[in-house]
Structure formats: C-alpha cells, structure tokens
Amino acid sequence: MSTPVTVRIVEDPADREACFAIRKEVFVAEQGVPQDIEYDAYDAVAVHVLAVREDGEPLGTGRLLFGEAAAAKTGGDASVGSLGRLAVAGAARGLGIGVALVRAIEEAARAHGLSAVDLHAQSHALGFYERLGYEAYGPEFLDAGIPHRSMRRVL
C-alpha cells in the first residue's frame, strides 16, 4: 500500500455512517443494488470494519456476522462467521485495502472464537478471495441480480 491506511473496528456513529456511505457508493450507485436490500437488520448486530487514510478519509468497509446472525449464511454452524458487504471506494482500489479489510475481519472472527469464515463472493471476485485462501463451494447463484459463489476459509 502506498497510502498509509488504518483499519479499525467501528465503534461510533460517524464511522458507521462512513461505512454506509461507502456501501452506497459501491453497491447502490455503481452496481445497482436496491438500497432497500443493501441495508438490513444484520447491520445492527454485525462487527463493522472501516479502512481510513491517515487524513481520516474513509476508503473501504466490510462486516462480520457471527452466532445466530450468521447461521443462515453458514449452514447453521456456530463456529463459522460470515464476511459480507466488503466494499472499497472507487478511487482507492488497487491499493491493498480489500486485503487489509478481509484480514481485519478474520482477526475479529478469531477474537469471537470462530474457526472459519464464509462469504458470498461476486463471481468476478473469486480470484481475489482465492488468493486470500478462500475456497469456493456449491453452485453459482444470483444475489441482487449479481452472480455469486459461496466461499470458505478455515482460520
């Protein structure tokens, strides 16, 4: 990364709003995901992470679901967390921020005693996650009209 970046767990409302703004830019504006399905009840219980430039500019976000909140996405296995809503602002792509966000979410998963992390990757992003140790399983499916595959990484 050529730009000094910090990834932190979101603990205050301003950081949470920064996460939502990045998700709106990437998923709603760029990818056409309807806003009413982009934000969900899981946002209230998720661990959110935020990547910021040294001047405080938000660059990327992601979230971790665990326990009951993750069960529907992980096949009901309480030891598996669910990584989701990973988004990097357009101007910040290619700087390693996505990798830093995934690793921060994995650290949060370990802190919650989880043994693996599942995710639903947009099919075009499979290679990114494979390079980080995730393995695809199951058939391709549509989510918000976008092709996805389930993936898992044992921690």
Side-chain angles (χ1 to χ4, degrees):
M1 249 181 276
S2 59
T3 304
V5 172
T6 301
V7 179
R8 62 183 180 238
I9 301 290
V10 170
E11 295 183 8
D12 66 55
D15 278 358
R16 188 177 165 94
E17 288 306 312
C19 291
F20 290 168
I22 292 167
R23 285 169 47 185
K24 185 174 184 177
E25 171 192 334
V26 173
F27 297 123
V28 178
E30 286 181 27
Q31 298 182 355
V33 173
Q35 191 164 318
D36 63 329
I37 66 171
E38 171 52 30
Y39 308 103
D40 59 27
Y42 296 120
D43 282 323
V45 297
V47 174
H48 297 269
V49 296
L50 178 66
V52 296
R53 202 168 51 202
E54 65 184 343
D55 65 2
E57 178 71 22
L59 302 174
T61 187
R63 75 179 188 187
L64 172 70
L65 301 177
F66 60 94
E68 199 174 302
K73 297 175 182 288
T74 64
D77 186 341
S79 71
V80 180
S82 176
L83 182 160
R85 303 304 201 265
L86 190 77
V88 176
R93 293 184 191 141
L95 302 175
I97 292 162
V99 172
L101 288 164
V102 169
R103 296 303 188 221
I105 290 168
E106 291 169 350
E107 283 303 311
R110 285 185 192 94
H112 284 280
L114 303 175
S115 63
V117 174
D118 268 18
L119 58 86
H120 294 162
Q122 292 184 8
S123 295
H124 72 84
L126 286 172
F128 167 78
Y129 290 109
E130 287 169 343
R131 288 188 297 279
L132 296 177
Y134 287 81
E135 295 182 14
Y137 66 90
E140 187 173 73
F141 61 93
L142 292 178
D143 186 0
I146 301 167
H148 285 70
R149 289 278 309 275
S150 295
M151 301 186 85
R152 177 172 289 184
R153 178 171 187 251
V154 175
L155 300 175

